Amino acid sequence: MLQHLLRQLFFISLLFINLSVCANSTIDSLQNLLNHPDTIDLAAVYNNIAYEYTSVNIDSARLYVDKALDQARLNDDHSNLATGAYYYGLTHYISQEYDSAIVRFDESIEEWKKGNNPEKIAYLQKLAGICYGTMGNNNKALALYADALETYMALESDRDIALIYGNMGISYRRLSQHQLAIEHFIKAQEYFDKTGDRSNQANTFNHIGNIFRDWEKDEKALEYYEQGLALAEELNMLRLKGSILNNMGIIYRGMGDFDRSIELQTASLEIKKQEGNKKGIGSSYLGLGITYKQKGEFIKALDYYKQAVAFKREVNDKTGEGATLGNIGLLYVALKNGKKAIEYFNESNLIAESIDYTELLKNNAKGLSDAYELLGDHAAALKFYKLHHTLQDSIYNEKRHQQIEEIQTKYETEKNEQEIKLLQAKTELQEAAQEEQKKVNLGLLIILGIVIVSSVIVALQLRSKNIAFKELVRKNMELTKLQNPVKKKESMHLSDHKKEELLLALENYFKEKSPYLKSDFQLNDCAKYLETNSKYLSQTINEVFKVNFNNFINEFRVREARRLISEDLIKNFTIEALSAEVGFNSKSTFNSAFKKFTGVTPSFYQSNIDNFQFMD
């Protein structure tokens, strides 16, 4: 059992790396060779014994590595010096002493350089990169991965190329460079398909799901998680199953289904405890802390956070430690203790700055703004609020986001809304035609003619598209006048009397209280007010309106924004201020939702509103 546990610990954070260890090697037979008169290469025997001990007893492994290194130095044996340094690094890696592991891996690389062995050098660069990434230094990790990738490309080693691409994708995600992350995951998946590596395909599904989760595309994220989970269960990949269950729990937490989230995260925690995965246990404690905090159970949340910090520090997981400290800061903001919150945010920022964790710095800036507001220091609150949005703009790139966007919305309502979809399709066709026009090249002799003709066509297309967008504004104004707080699809026939009552109560609640205008309004809050079960409410909304709760309330927020613009009630508001006014946490999310439900951006809608009048 102990041997199995130690072998599992070796794979912690190794991600795509699969080291082959012979579990049945006999240490006794190797030790007998030490006294055999025909044994010439004692350093190699010592190294082999050390390797076997890495899965049994770390101290014994290091003892035999020292003997191997001493013997290798006597003979100026670069091969065994390199192997011994590698095995020594392995013992540090298993013990999660990543700094020491890197030192030993570097020593091994220097020895292999003397022997001109590029394949082993690339392998050690990969291991060192994983150590740097685990500690939060992802830029250094990427540099090492790039060097290893160059070697593997020259060797045409498809399996190793795939693993490197996968690890690079993880580092890019940690640096919030999501476009590069998903591009590398896709490259990794192509090579895994080529080599038939189904276990790493499952792992990559999980990582791609994480990207869509970062982009708040819950349905797409769940789609990838479920593909990864199915493969993990089929291949009996217990560790990956635990990771995916935890990630799915995060999604359901975002949907406001806290009971389902806790159920999934607890199942994940039990798997990690069974494996002795300390880093994973820390992550599960952090996730459960966030869920309980959002559920309003602050004392329980704080307890989970403190356990998470302890585990993260034990395994030197700077990324996880910084994120947990930031969440403790947010908890104290919720408890109205601004001074304590600032203390934890500052501690978190020291870590985030040391590992270039921009996403965490962005989140902490918002938390610090709220904390200083609690203390009445409005100048400091404004300073950190501006920093939050500056960092957010540097991370989020809507154009790149749309290049990867694969989610198709299903938005059906009255006749006017159907016309909006038709107009959207028309503008998309016009844009496609415009792109095709740019590709036309009939040769140098007729370039001038093409430019002239193309200019005329483009102008006409832009004019046509502008007219189409303005027609969208007009249609949306009509909808603003006609819209009801909650309207069921005409094709829906409800036989359940309780469901009818729930929808009526929901309509009255939204009409009288407009709770969706609160940025922290969740499914659980709605269910509590309506005195019903959150799962039943979520199911009812899904069945009747064919959307999840997040999209459901976002539509009402967009309707309110449309009303405020149409009635000229926010004349001096910026788009960012308008988004906050109607309940959105960020301008980018507001822009995406507004365009999704209206067909145009809020700025276009606002700038063209004066061209139309409501007809009484």
Side-chain angles (χ1 to χ4, degrees):
M1 183 63 184
L2 177 60
Q3 182 177 353
H4 173 72
L5 180 58
L6 286 169
R7 288 189 184 282
Q8 290 296 325
L9 278 172
F10 173 71
F11 285 90
I12 292 176
S13 303
L14 204 52
L15 307 169
F16 292 93
I17 309 300
N18 295 307
L19 298 178
S20 176
V21 179
C22 298
N24 297 323
S25 296
T26 306
I27 292 175
D28 289 340
S29 65
L30 288 168
Q31 287 176 328
N32 289 335
L33 289 175
L34 296 175
N35 300 317
H36 199 284
D38 294 332
T39 301
I40 299 175
D41 196 347
L42 288 175
V45 176
Y46 283 132
N47 269 330
N48 285 329
I49 294 173
Y51 181 67
E52 294 302 322
Y53 268 121
T54 58
S55 60
V56 180
N57 186 306
I58 295 297
D59 290 335
S60 295
R62 291 174 181 171
L63 174 65
Y64 279 97
V65 169
D66 284 333
K67 292 182 178 183
L69 292 173
D70 288 342
Q71 190 68 36
R73 290 189 189 101
L74 286 174
N75 301 315
D76 198 23
D77 182 353
H78 297 298
S79 176
N80 275 308
L81 283 170
T83 302
Y86 160 54
Y87 288 159
Y88 222 127
L90 207 57
T91 66
H92 287 299
Y93 187 90
I94 294 169
S95 302
Q96 298 172 353
E97 300 163 352
Y98 300 115
D99 285 324
S100 299
I102 290 169
V103 171
R104 294 296 187 170
F105 291 151
D106 285 344
E107 290 176 0
S108 183
I109 287 172
E110 291 305 311
E111 292 299 331
W112 283 124
K113 284 181 179 178
K114 295 174 184 177
N116 191 26
N117 194 320
E119 186 172 5
K120 290 190 181 295
I121 292 170
Y123 177 70
L124 287 159
Q125 288 171 331
K126 179 169 55 177
L127 290 181
I130 292 169
C131 289
Y132 277 114
T134 302
M135 293 191 301
N137 191 342
N138 289 286
N139 285 315
K140 181 64 175 177
L142 284 167
L144 287 165
Y145 292 147
D147 289 341
L149 180 62
E150 184 178 353
T151 299
Y152 287 134
M153 286 288 192
L155 295 171
E156 297 183 354
S157 178
D158 290 343
R159 177 179 176 277
D160 290 308
I161 292 170
L163 296 173
I164 288 291
Y165 275 133
N167 281 295
M168 293 179 81
I170 292 168
S171 286
Y172 278 122
R173 180 186 173 232
R174 288 170 177 165
L175 292 170
S176 301
Q177 297 182 38
H178 297 108
Q179 172 72 16
L180 286 171
I182 204 164
E183 286 175 2
H184 282 76
F185 284 136
I186 290 171
K187 287 178 181 178
Q189 200 72 299
E190 289 173 356
Y191 277 96
F192 290 139
D193 285 338
K194 185 177 179 180
T195 60
D197 189 345
R198 300 180 73 224
S199 61
N200 275 314
Q201 281 182 320
N203 206 356
T204 309
F205 281 133
N206 182 37
H207 288 297
I208 295 176
N210 290 338
I211 299 294
F212 281 102
R213 190 185 79 205
D214 292 342
W215 280 335
E216 299 180 0
K217 298 300 180 181
D218 296 343
E219 294 175 5
K220 199 68 179 177
L222 283 173
E223 177 185 322
Y224 278 100
Y225 287 147
E226 286 164 1
Q227 290 183 72
L229 184 61
L231 263 180
E233 290 177 337
E234 179 185 341
L235 301 173
N236 196 29
M237 300 173 67
L238 197 61
R239 179 178 298 277
L240 180 59
K241 180 180 176 182
S243 175
I244 295 175
L245 287 172
N246 183 68
N247 290 334
M248 293 176 73
I250 294 171
I251 293 291
Y252 281 103
R253 179 177 66 212
M255 293 178 174
D257 192 343
F258 300 123
D259 292 337
R260 177 62 174 157
S261 176
I262 291 170
E263 176 187 340
L264 290 165
Q265 289 177 300
T266 303
S268 173
L269 176 61
E270 291 306 312
I271 291 174
K272 293 168 184 176
K273 285 182 176 179
Q274 180 182 338
E275 292 186 310
N277 180 354
K278 291 183 179 180
K279 183 180 179 184
I281 292 170
S283 297
S284 286
Y285 280 136
L286 170 58
L288 283 164
I290 295 171
T291 303
Y292 277 110
K293 185 253 183 181
Q294 292 188 9
K295 195 177 180 183
E297 298 183 25
F298 296 150
I299 302 302
K300 187 172 287 189
L302 185 58
D303 179 58
Y304 276 115
Y305 284 151
K306 288 181 177 178
Q307 292 184 75
V309 170
F311 274 94
K312 294 297 184 182
R313 285 175 176 166
E314 184 176 350
V315 300
N316 195 28
D317 179 4
K318 294 296 185 183
T319 301
E321 182 186 353
T324 307
L325 291 169
N327 276 285
I328 295 176
L330 292 173
L331 180 60
Y332 278 112
V333 168
L335 291 170
K336 309 299 182 185
N337 189 337
K339 185 176 180 181
K340 199 72 174 176
I342 291 169
E343 176 185 329
Y344 278 98
F345 284 132
N346 287 337
E347 189 175 355
S348 175
N349 277 343
L350 287 175
I351 295 173
E353 289 168 357
S354 71
I355 61 176
D356 295 323
Y357 195 170
T358 310
E359 184 79 24
L360 181 57
L361 289 170
K362 179 204 75 172
N363 294 336
N364 286 347
K366 177 62 167 63
L368 282 165
S369 176
D370 293 339
Y372 278 110
E373 192 69 34
L374 287 172
L375 297 176
D377 189 342
H378 303 300
L382 179 60
K383 168 190 167 185
F384 283 105
Y385 184 77
K386 289 179 178 178
L387 175 62
H388 166 73
H389 285 284
T390 298
L391 292 172
Q392 181 168 267
D393 289 342
S394 72
I395 293 171
Y396 185 86
N397 188 314
E398 186 172 2
K399 182 177 180 180
R400 286 183 175 179
H401 182 167
Q402 289 173 347
Q403 290 174 346
I404 304 300
E405 182 67 67
E406 296 179 19
I407 300 173
Q408 295 180 346
T409 58
K410 296 180 181 179
Y411 182 63
E412 296 178 333
T413 175
E414 311 173 357
K415 179 180 178 180
N416 282 329
E417 288 171 338
Q418 290 290 342
E419 291 178 9
I420 286 176
K421 289 185 69 176
L422 291 174
L423 285 167
Q424 285 177 293
K426 178 181 176 182
T427 57
E428 289 170 2
L429 287 172
Q430 291 168 341
E431 289 169 351
Q434 191 173 341
E435 287 300 314
E436 287 297 318
Q437 180 62 42
K438 293 178 181 179
K439 298 176 182 179
V440 175
N441 185 0
L442 299 179
L444 292 174
L445 294 177
I446 54 173
I447 279 181
L448 183 59
I450 291 174
V451 169
I452 295 173
V453 172
S454 297
S455 298
V456 173
I457 292 174
V458 169
L460 291 173
Q461 288 177 335
L462 289 173
R463 180 176 179 275
S464 177
K465 185 168 67 173
N466 193 47
I467 292 171
F469 279 139
K470 289 183 178 181
E471 181 67 4
L472 283 172
V473 174
R474 187 185 69 78
K475 290 293 182 183
N476 277 283
M477 289 184 66
E478 292 178 7
L479 284 172
T480 301
K481 185 177 180 181
L482 298 172
Q483 67 189 21
N484 294 319
V486 179
K487 183 165 184 176
K488 302 186 289 292
K489 292 182 179 295
E490 294 181 2
S491 60
M492 193 69 198
H493 299 289
L494 297 175
S495 58
D496 191 330
H497 179 65
K498 289 185 178 180
K499 192 177 293 186
E500 289 279 11
E501 289 182 343
L502 177 59
L503 288 173
L504 181 60
L506 179 64
E507 179 176 357
N508 290 334
Y509 181 32
F510 274 37
K511 183 177 181 180
E512 295 171 6
K513 303 291 186 180
S514 300
Y516 46 84
L517 298 181
K518 298 178 181 178
S519 62
D520 59 351
F521 182 62
Q522 300 281 353
L523 174 65
N524 202 51
D525 302 322
C526 189
K528 185 176 180 181
Y529 183 89
L530 297 175
E531 298 181 348
T532 187
N533 180 276
S534 60
K535 289 184 179 179
Y536 180 70
L537 176 59
S538 177
Q539 180 182 349
T540 301
I541 290 173
N542 185 265
E543 289 178 358
V544 176
F545 300 101
K546 307 302 181 187
V547 294
N548 62 30
F549 183 76
N550 281 351
N551 284 332
F552 182 69
I553 64 172
N554 279 347
E555 181 176 356
F556 285 98
R557 289 168 174 166
V558 169
R559 287 186 181 188
E560 177 63 13
R562 192 169 57 186
R563 183 188 69 83
L564 292 173
I565 296 172
S566 299
E567 297 179 10
D568 202 21
L569 298 176
I570 44 90
K571 187 173 184 180
N572 297 318
F573 275 40
T574 63
I575 296 301
E576 187 173 27
L578 175 59
S579 70
E581 181 73 14
V582 296
F584 286 95
N585 283 317
S586 72
K587 176 183 174 182
S588 59
T589 305
F590 172 56
N591 280 336
S592 296
F594 196 96
K595 188 168 183 179
K596 173 182 177 181
F597 291 112
T598 67
V600 295
T601 63
S603 57
F604 186 91
Y605 188 83
Q606 188 175 29
S607 63
N608 285 273
I609 199 71
D610 292 336
N611 295 330
F612 304 98
Q613 296 289 337
F614 278 120
M615 300 301 293
D616 294 328

